[in-house]
């Protein structure tokens, strides 16, 4: 893991813990997910700790998507189980090139605890 990826991840943990929200990208009922660069046949849902960072990604094929707030309680109560069952990993604070770390959602829960 590069230093910048580690810094982005730590900032994600700090900001989500403090603000109790994270941001995904949504268009209607469809959420942005990407193919994993680490695991075959696995998807990753990128999330950001600020609305502005999420908004930066709303270009090109995602131009119609908008940042959508996910509260930390909602994430823990609803999203974690669904993502875990579906085998979807999470990508906290990916950079503008959609590069960053990929975690099992339960690893993120432990880090946020």
């Amino acid at each position: 893991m590069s230093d910048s990826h580690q810094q982005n991840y730590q900032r994600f943990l700090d900001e989500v813990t403090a603000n109790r929200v994270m941001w995904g990208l949504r268009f209607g009922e469809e959420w942005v997910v990407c193919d994993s660069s680490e695991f075959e046949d696995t998807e990753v849902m990128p999330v950001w700790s600020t609305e502005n960072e999420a908004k930066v990604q709303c270009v090109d094929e995602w131009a119609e998507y908008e940042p959508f707030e996910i509260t930390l309680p909602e994430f823990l109560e609803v999203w974690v189980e669904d993502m875990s069952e579906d085998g979807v990993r999470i990508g906290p604070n990916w950079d503008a090139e959609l590069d960053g770390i990929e975690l099992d959602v339960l690893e993120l829960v432990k880090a946020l605890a």
Side-chain angles (χ1 to χ4, degrees):
M1 177 183 328
S2 77
D3 285 346
S4 67
H5 293 164
Q6 182 61 41
Q7 290 169 356
N8 286 346
Y9 177 51
Q10 188 59 54
R11 188 170 45 77
F12 178 89
L13 295 175
D14 294 344
E15 291 176 343
V16 169
T17 300
N19 300 323
R20 307 204 35 88
V21 296
M22 63 185 75
W23 298 84
L25 298 181
R26 189 169 109 171
F27 178 65
E29 295 300 311
E30 186 177 320
W31 291 87
V32 164
V33 291
C34 305
D35 290 333
S36 170
S37 61
E38 297 179 30
F39 299 97
E40 227 176 276
D41 300 322
T42 301
E43 292 182 321
V44 181
M45 180 179 173
V47 290
W48 294 270
S49 55
T50 69
E51 182 178 11
N52 284 340
E53 285 178 283
K55 188 170 265 181
V56 167
Q57 305 295 338
C58 297
V59 294
D60 300 328
E61 72 267 22
W62 296 343
E64 294 183 352
Y65 285 76
E66 294 182 348
F68 196 87
E69 181 181 87
I70 304 166
T71 66
L72 186 55
E74 177 188 0
F75 176 75
L76 296 172
E77 292 168 18
V78 179
W79 287 79
V80 170
E81 184 176 346
D82 289 347
M83 290 178 76
S84 189
E85 286 176 1
D86 294 342
V88 176
R89 296 174 69 79
I90 195 153
N93 274 1
W94 278 5
D95 62 23
E97 288 76 43
L98 291 176
D99 192 25
I101 64 171
E102 299 177 10
L103 298 170
D104 180 282
V105 70
L106 296 177
E107 290 177 69
L108 180 62
V109 170
K110 288 178 192 171
L112 288 169

